[in-house]
Structures are given as C-alpha cells and as structure tokens.
Amino acid sequence: MRGDEFSFRDELAARGISRREFMSYCAGVAALLGLPASAAGEVAAAMETKLKPAVVWLEFQDCAGNTESFLRASKPSAAEVILDLLSVDYHETIMAAAGHQAEQALASSLEAHKGQYVVVVEGSIPTGADGAYCTIGGRSALQIAKEACKDAAAVIAVGTCAAFGGLPAASPNPTTALSVSDAVPGIKTLINLPACPVNAENLTAVLAYFLTYGRWPATDHYSRPLFAYGKTIHDNCERRAHFDGGQYVEHFGDEGHRLGFCLYKVGCKGPVTSQNCPNIRWNEGTNWPIGCGHPCIGCAEPNFWDRMTPFYEHLTGVPGFGAAADIDRIGLYATAAVGTAFTAHALVQLGRKAYDKRKAKVSVATATAAPAKTTSPARAKPAEADKPEADKPAPAAEKGREP
Amino acid sequence: MAAPAHPPAITTPVADAHDASPDLEPIYVWDLVVRLTHWTIVLSMLVLAFTGIDIARPFLDAPSGTGHFQTGWVRIIHYYAAIAFSLAVGSRILWMFLGPRRSGWRQFLPVSRRRQRELIGTFKFYVMLRPRPPHTVGHNPLAGLTYIAVFGLYLLMILTGFALYSVSAYGSYMKMWSFLLPIFGGAQGARWIHHVVMWLLLGFAVHHFFSALLMARVEKNGGMDSIFSGYKFVPKGSERDDDR
Ligand code: HEM
Ligand code: SF4
Ligand code: SF4
C-alpha cells in the first residue's frame, strides 16, 4: 500500500478536477454500486484518506482497447484521474520506464506489496507452443500471469479477452488462448469485467468499492460484479417498450428505425447480454450503441465471437451448413423431408398391397373362396412376425417376401 | 377418453368402434397417466413451438400505435406452456419407475433378448426389408429406443429454457438455474441449443405421427385410438407379456 504522502484534493485540483466534480463522481459511483446517496460521502472519504493499493496492469493478447477505454482522449474525467492516482506501478502502454527497467519495476512492486497489490489483466493468455505466442522480456504471458496472480489481493480481468478468451480464443483458436480464470486456476479473488472494451466506470467503481469497504463487490457465476452485470441490456433498454409491443426495425433505415423501434430483428443481442450499458452508457455517459440505432452485439458475453456473429442475425448458423445458414429453413426442410419419407413409405405399401391383391385374386380364382374377416387362421398365431391381415386371405406372394 | 379405467372391463362399443374381428380382444396398454402426460406434452409443445418461433423471429402482426403488449404476451404464453410441458415430462419420467409395467422404463430400453430381436425386425420393416413389423403390444422396441432420445431432448429443452429464463428471473427462485448458463456456453449458447432442438423435436413429431398411423394400419390393432382410449386390440390368447 502507498502512503498518503500527497493531498488527494490538491492533486485532483492540479489536474483540473474541482471538488464539486469529485463529489459528483463519488455520488455517481455510489449510485452505480447501488448504494444509498449517503454513501457518496463514505466513498469520497475513502478516496481521500485510505491507502491506495498498488496496481500492476498486465497486457497480453489484446488490442490495448481496454487501456484506450480508460485513457479516453480529450479531457480526462474524474474516473480516469482517480484510476491514475491509484499508483499503477506497471503498465506497459503508459509507463515511462522501458526494457529491463520496466521489468524491474514489476518485480519490485510484486515483492514490496506482496499479498496486497491488485493485478489488472487485459487480454487473453495463449498456452499453445509453450506460450511462445506472447512473451515479454523473454517470459511467456502464462509465466508472468501465474507469478503476478500468486500473491495478489485480487485479480481483475478487464475486457472480454481476459474474462472469457474473447477474440484470440475464437474458433479455431490458433494460439490456444485462455481466459485468466482458465489459464491461472485457483485465484482467490477474481473479478471479471467483460466487455469490448471494459467500461472504465465499472473498473473504477470496483476499486472505489474496495477502498470504501475493504472488500470486493458481490459477484455472479461468472465472477462478474452484480452491480454491473446483474441485469441484461434488454431489461434496462430504452427501446424495450417497443420489443414488448411487437414494434421492430425490419431493416436499417426503414420507418421503424427512424421511429426508434426495437432492434431485435436486426440481430440485437441485448436479451442474452448482461451489462449496465443502458445506465452508465459510454464516453462520459454521452450515448450507447442502442441509443444511436445500432443493435447490441453482445460484446460482454462468453464465446462472443463464435456465438454472437453474424452480428445482424438472430443466431449463428448450423455447423456444416455455412456460417449464416438459416436454421429455420433447414428445420422446415428437414421436417418436410421426414413427412415426405413417410408418405412415400405409405404409398409403396399401398402399391404393394394392390399388387398382392391382384396376384391373390388370380390364385384365389382356382381355390375355394376364403372366409374374409372372421376366422383367419393366421390371426391365431400372433407371435409370427409377418402375419397377414385378417381381412384378406394369406397370399402366397407375401410369404415369399420374408427375408 | 371415455374408456373405463380398468383393464378387464371389455365393452362391446369399444370393440365395435374398431371394427375388429371377434378374434381380437382389447387389452389395456396405456394407463391414464401415460395418456394424460402424452397429450399434455403434445398440446404444450405445439404452443411452445408456435410461440417460440414468434419469439425467435416475430411474425405476428406488429400493431401500430401505443398500448400493445404483443411479444410480451407471446413470451408469457410460452412460459405458461413451459410449466405444463416441464411438469408433464417430469411426471412421465417418474411414472416410468412408479407406474405399471407397460409404462415402465423397460418399455424403452431393449434389455431383454426378445425386445432386441424385435428391434431388428422393426428396423427391417421400416426400411422395407420385410412386409410386416414384429408383433408387439406396448411400444414397438425401435420406437421405445427413439423415445429415450426424445426424452433426452425434452430435458435439454427444459434445461436450456430454464437457463434462459434465469437470466431475467430477478429475485425469483428460478434464478438458481443460472448455474446452467456456463454449461451451455452462455445465454446465447443456450438459446441456440433451444432453437435447434426445437426443430429436432418437430421433425420427430412428424415422424411419430406418421409412423403411429402406419403401424396402426398395418397391425390393425387400434394403435391410433389406443392413445385416446388406452386399449389396443390383439389376437385372442396371444402372449401379452411382450415386454419381458
Ligand atoms: C418443446 C418445448 C419447447 C419449444 C419447442 C420451445 C421453443 C422455443 C423457441 C423456438 C424459442 C426462441 C429461441 C430463439 O430466440 O431463437 C424459445 C425461447 C425461450 N424458451 Fe422455449 N421452447 C420449449 C420449451 C421451453 C421450456 C420448458 C422453457 C422453460 C422455462 C422455455 C423457456 C424459454 C425462454 C425463457 C425463452 C427465451 C424467451 C426470450 O428470449 O424472450 N422453453 N423457446
Ligand atoms: S433494442 Fe435490443 S436490448 Fe433493446 S429492447 Fe430491443 S432487443 Fe432488447
Ligand atoms: S451495448 Fe452490447 S455490444 Fe455495446 S458495449 Fe454494451 S454489451 Fe457491448
């Protein structure tokens, strides 16, 4: 942990964040975490006085999109500054040190804050070819991750790649990429923050919660904090009334699209995607995909690339029938084929019967007329598999066909 | 289902209805639980498939203006039908172990020699290698084996359905099913399975309907009516213990 050697308030002011902005940020965090308004003060006090945990930010197989997400250009928000002030000891993209110096910083931070530092992991971890697909300073991502996670107070996997494998792990997964939880099993406190990229508000809220209460927020079966992933996009969506009402965008740019109808039929994955985008939105709450007429592509879900594509279709196709094959058409054809097969079978049977009947007639003409229904002797031998029907004499032809 | 509830009650009207010869005698094969669960599954599955397709790609007329709850109702109907479906499937599976012999699990798995022999015979009939199927009273053994697979698909439908439902089951005991989500590869994975298996079941339903029709015609045993009345018609004095 770091000593509080500077005045947090002065530091904020020096970076252009007023006290008012800071307080409203804290109130925002409290609301985001689902805490009562009174908690804003607690959050602010914790931010100002509590020791900040050392943070090491590891980047593996990724596009640095999550880093981008919290370094968002123009004017840094309170959230970003606060993240910055969290004494990030190691972060390849933004740290000044390079080469051996940088690796030294990582090693000494892990040593100095053993058991108390927080690891943020961005990107998936390749395990194929002994981890050769991603190495830093001659060591594989897997080695680095294992070492860093071993004595961490908590590991936060940011972005879908770190949380679920993401793009690198998409079929055919050439590097055998794994999520942090799969690559480094047995992490005591793991928090997954999937999304492509992670929303910086959620990351700072997790850290603010920890600072305020000294423990980590409650998580679900995917280790995602409930405050951010407890509800689906669909259940908080501003277009939901149109979904329930059956009013849909049929094509981009049509009347329904202009009227702001539900994007379900152009592939919206909101019903199967859990995240708080409708509430906190993106780019300082400016807007979010569905708000500007684009369906949710399900970026925060497991198997994102394999399951959610094609993005403008409801479902992925059936393997072997092309990527975007229309399941419903295949299903309909298959169902019709089964029906046709049986109709054909019935027709063949009928034809056969007619044939047998004609044959029987020829032979019956010479024999004595057989009694039809009542006393067919064949009926008395039920175990015989190919008993003829009761309503006609047993034609010799039928016997002959037994295999 | 005006049939008497107990096997020995042989009434002539029933026999007449089937235009059977005096050599045939009715035999009670499907008990009330079997018939009730069968028809509950049929009806609820029709409703589930219809509403399910509309959930997947809404085709019912989209009303204009306000105050509509179109897809909302379709989903709610889907959920109520799902309750009926799940309970019927669950009851039928329990009945396989609790119910009378002919409703039991031995009817489905060809554990006995005899049923194994009949299994091959029935298969030969289906592919037209022999003109008549072997004589069976309960399920024909090939169908029995198919039903095992179908019940597996029913369970898959129920589990993926529960998993999907759990996603938005805030504050409900149904939330407990969310542990299934990782198993199915997330909600979208569950939805994909749920959707594809629906088509497998619809394909089966068509197959099942036609083969019941076919077998009833060929065997002339009243098989088609038996699932309403419970009775099939077999030659007098024939061996009834066909499931051993
Ligand atoms: C044979 C029985 C069933 C059939 C044929 C069926 C069919 C379907 C279909 C086609 C869909 C749309 C999937 C998609 O979005 O592509 C669906 C959705 C769904 N089904 Fe079923 N279903 C069945 C049983 C069940 C059961 C037992 C449940 C249990 C609760 C269930 C719950 C759901 C849920 C929660 C959805 C998602 C609804 C939504 O996203 O709005 N289904 N079903
Ligand atoms: S736009 Fe997407 S998330 Fe919003 S109501 Fe429609 S389907 Fe749901
Ligand atoms: S709306 Fe959907 S695709 Fe967009 S960021 Fe949110 S979860 Fe990802």
Side-chain angles (χ1 to χ4, degrees):
Chain A
M1 295 271 177
R2 282 296 159 84
D4 199 13
E5 65 263 13
F6 57 87
S7 157
F8 194 79
R9 216 176 278 183
D10 293 347
E11 189 75 20
L12 284 175
R15 294 175 188 233
I17 307 289
S18 69
R19 172 80 185 152
R20 193 184 181 82
E21 268 179 278
F22 174 65
M23 283 314 292
S24 86
Y25 165 76
C26 291
V29 166
L32 171 55
L33 291 167
L35 304 170
S38 59
E42 277 180 77
V43 172
M47 289 270 188
E48 286 183 339
T49 60
K50 292 237 177 96
L51 301 175
K52 313 289 181 292
V55 174
V56 298
W57 185 298
L58 304 176
E59 261 189 271
F60 299 129
Q61 273 193 144
D62 73 324
C63 64
N66 299 289
T67 297
E68 286 288 341
S69 180
F70 89 83
L71 290 178
R72 279 183 311 249
S74 62
K75 171 182 164 290
S77 70
E80 284 146 18
V81 171
I82 282 148
L83 198 59
D84 200 11
L85 294 179
L86 281 173
S87 57
V88 178
D89 284 357
Y90 178 87
H91 188 309
E92 275 146 16
T93 310
I94 56 172
M95 71 198 300
H100 291 299
Q101 237 185 337
E103 296 314 303
Q104 193 55 47
L106 175 61
S108 55
S109 182
L110 298 190
E111 191 52 43
H113 308 291
K114 200 168 177 176
Q116 299 186 311
Y117 59 86
V118 173
V119 178
V120 176
V121 183
E122 172 177 6
S124 66
I125 299 173
T127 58
D130 278 334
Y133 296 112
C134 179
T135 62
I136 300 161
R139 292 188 308 149
S140 73
L142 188 59
Q143 271 175 304
I144 299 171
K146 276 191 173 149
E147 198 183 297
C149 295
K150 190 161 45 92
D151 295 316
V155 177
I156 305 178
V158 297
T160 299
C161 298
F164 295 133
L167 174 67
S171 174
N173 194 354
T175 66
T176 323
L178 296 179
S179 64
V180 174
S181 61
D182 287 340
V184 190
I187 295 174
K188 281 192 307 287
T189 305
L190 173 72
I191 293 178
N192 280 330
L193 296 177
C196 193
V198 69
N199 198 322
E201 320 269 341
N202 285 335
L203 177 56
T204 50
V206 167
L207 293 167
Y209 187 96
F210 176 68
L211 278 180
T212 311
Y213 297 107
R215 53 190 160 81
W216 299 94
T219 54
D220 67 4
H221 50 278
Y222 281 122
S223 308
R224 302 175 298 193
L226 290 168
F227 75 83
Y229 297 88
K231 279 196 166 186
T232 59
I233 302 285
H234 193 52
D235 287 329
N236 274 334
C237 179
E238 59 218 28
R239 301 187 183 220
R240 178 59 183 271
H242 294 301
F243 172 88
D244 286 334
Q247 295 164 326
Y248 301 100
V249 175
E250 301 286 339
H251 309 285
F252 289 110
D254 69 4
E255 178 69 12
H257 201 203
R258 284 195 291 277
L259 288 170
F261 282 0
C262 166
L263 297 153
Y264 188 73
K265 282 178 140 181
V266 286
C268 185
K269 306 297 190 298
V272 287
T273 306
S274 297
Q275 211 187 174
N276 52 358
C277 308
N279 304 350
I280 62 169
R281 305 180 157 215
W282 290 85
N283 303 322
E284 276 107 78
T286 308
N287 205 343
W288 69 301
I290 289 174
C292 50
H294 192 278
C296 167
I297 58 174
C299 76
E301 284 293 304
N303 307 312
F304 166 42
W305 290 92
D306 290 337
R307 279 269 163 258
M308 301 297 180
T309 51
F311 291 141
Y312 302 121
E313 303 275 341
H314 180 62
L315 291 176
T316 308
V318 182
F321 291 86
D326 188 340
I327 294 172
D328 291 350
R329 204 170 320 132
I330 295 172
L332 201 60
Y333 289 168
T335 309
V338 174
T340 315
F342 272 90
T343 315
H345 185 116
L347 286 178
V348 170
Q349 288 288 326
L350 282 178
R352 213 176 234 180
K353 211 181 258 172
Y355 175 78
D356 290 348
K357 237 181 201 152
R358 183 150 354 124
K359 243 187 163 176
K361 234 182 226 158
V362 175
S363 52
V364 161
T366 52
T368 45
K373 283 187 166 187
T374 41
T375 51
S376 170
R379 271 292 189 187
K381 289 191 283 172
E384 199 178 301
D386 56 343
K387 63 190 163 56
E389 277 163 20
D391 59 352
K392 66 177 161 76
E398 204 158 290
K399 275 261 182 255
R401 226 188 297 110
E402 196 190 1
Chain B
M1 287 188 212
H6 291 292
I10 303 165
T11 54
T12 28
V14 176
D16 283 349
H18 294 291
D19 190 22
S21 87
D23 289 333
L24 296 181
E25 54 180 349
I27 168 169
Y28 192 64
V29 279
W30 312 132
D31 61 69
L32 196 61
V33 175
V34 170
R35 282 175 284 146
L36 269 178
T37 53
H38 176 269
W39 288 111
T40 311
I41 290 172
V42 171
L43 294 179
S44 61
M45 204 158 86
L46 284 178
V47 175
L48 284 163
F50 182 81
T51 52
I53 290 171
D54 188 68
I55 290 170
R57 45 170 69 217
F59 60 87
L60 295 175
D61 249 0
S64 52
T66 58
H68 299 290
F69 199 56
Q70 179 82 8
T71 309
W73 277 116
V74 172
R75 291 172 100 204
I76 286 169
I77 294 167
H78 194 82
Y79 302 153
Y80 278 109
I83 296 173
F85 179 81
S86 312
L87 288 177
V89 170
S91 313
R92 185 64 185 87
I93 290 173
L94 274 181
W95 200 240
M96 281 183 201
F97 300 94
L98 303 176
R101 188 164 49 77
R102 267 188 227 291
S103 65
W105 59 275
R106 276 170 210 277
Q107 289 275 319
F108 299 95
L109 281 178
V111 279
S112 73
R113 263 290 153 66
R114 177 182 168 144
R115 280 189 85 80
Q116 284 161 14
R117 219 175 332 111
E118 289 169 351
L119 179 70
I120 298 169
T122 312
F123 183 73
K124 281 184 170 167
F125 166 69
Y126 273 138
V127 297
M128 302 190 193
L129 279 175
R130 67 187 267 174
R132 307 214 166 274
H135 167 76
T136 52
V137 177
H139 289 303
N140 94 48
L142 187 63
L145 211 56
T146 315
Y147 298 154
I148 292 285
V150 168
F151 270 89
L153 294 183
Y154 285 167
L155 284 180
L156 193 57
M157 242 14 219
I158 292 171
L159 293 181
T160 49
F162 281 14
L164 278 171
Y165 190 90
S166 76
V167 170
S168 297
Y170 310 113
S172 154
Y173 68 92
M174 285 297 282
K175 195 76 192 169
M176 69 179 175
W177 296 101
S178 59
F179 81 91
L180 291 167
L181 286 167
I183 298 170
F184 297 127
Q188 176 77 348
R191 184 199 240 179
W192 190 89
I193 298 169
H194 201 74
H195 194 116
V196 169
V197 171
M198 173 191 73
W199 283 112
L200 294 181
L201 284 177
L202 286 183
F204 161 78
V206 171
H207 155 94
H208 177 74
F209 175 75
F210 276 104
S211 52
L213 210 62
L214 180 70
M215 293 306 254
R217 259 196 77 84
V218 172
E219 289 185 329
K220 282 257 156 58
N221 62 0
M224 210 56 183
D225 306 79
S226 70
I227 194 61
F228 295 98
S229 66
Y231 286 90
K232 272 191 181 180
F233 288 81
V234 298
K236 264 191 185 136
S238 70
E239 193 186 348
R240 288 161 172 234
D241 235 6
D242 64 330
D243 56 341
R244 284 283 145 87

